[in-house]
């Protein structure tokens, strides 16, 4: 997706809650990447939406600096897109 070479580093289980409700739960894959002008790492995961698998990637560019901040940024971006 970002046209970089990638090497898998880790799988991190994430459970993100808001007001004691789970808003996202899954595993985020972390990849070291080379060839991107700004990022050295990328995070990726998938989820089901209306029976279809959706894929998400997030480059490690502030404010994204970890698997959890990648998920949070994606949640915020999706919420803004639905307004």
């Amino acid at each position: 997706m970002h046209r970089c070479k990638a090497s898998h580093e880790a799988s991190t289980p994430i459970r993100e809650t808001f007001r004691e409700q789970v808003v996202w739960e899954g595993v985020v894959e972390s990849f070291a990447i080379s060839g991107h002008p700004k990022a050295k790492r990328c995070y990726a995961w998938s989820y089901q939406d209306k029976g279809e698998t959706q894929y998400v990637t997030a480059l490690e560019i502030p404010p994204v600096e970890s698997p959890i901040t990648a998920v949070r940024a994606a949640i915020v971006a999706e919420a803004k897109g639905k307004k």
Side-chain angles (χ1 to χ4, degrees):
M1 176 178 259
H2 298 289
R3 302 188 192 277
C4 301
K5 290 189 177 191
S7 176
H8 186 260
E9 291 184 321
S11 301
T12 307
I14 302 289
R15 182 182 174 116
E16 181 64 4
T17 60
F18 180 72
R19 296 186 180 166
E20 299 181 18
Q21 297 290 320
V22 175
V23 293
W24 191 84
E25 186 170 13
V27 176
V28 175
E29 305 299 336
S30 300
F31 297 88
I33 59 173
S34 61
H36 192 277
K38 294 182 181 179
K40 291 186 172 33
R41 188 168 287 108
C42 181
Y43 303 102
W45 62 92
S46 64
Y47 65 94
Q48 293 293 311
D49 184 29
K50 298 176 186 167
E52 292 188 31
T53 303
Q54 303 296 316
Y55 297 94
V56 179
T57 64
L59 293 170
E60 189 179 71
I61 299 172
V64 175
E65 50 193 29
S66 67
I68 188 66
T69 59
V71 169
R72 289 175 182 160
I75 290 169
V76 169
E78 183 177 331
K80 286 182 179 179
K82 289 185 177 180
K83 288 185 178 181

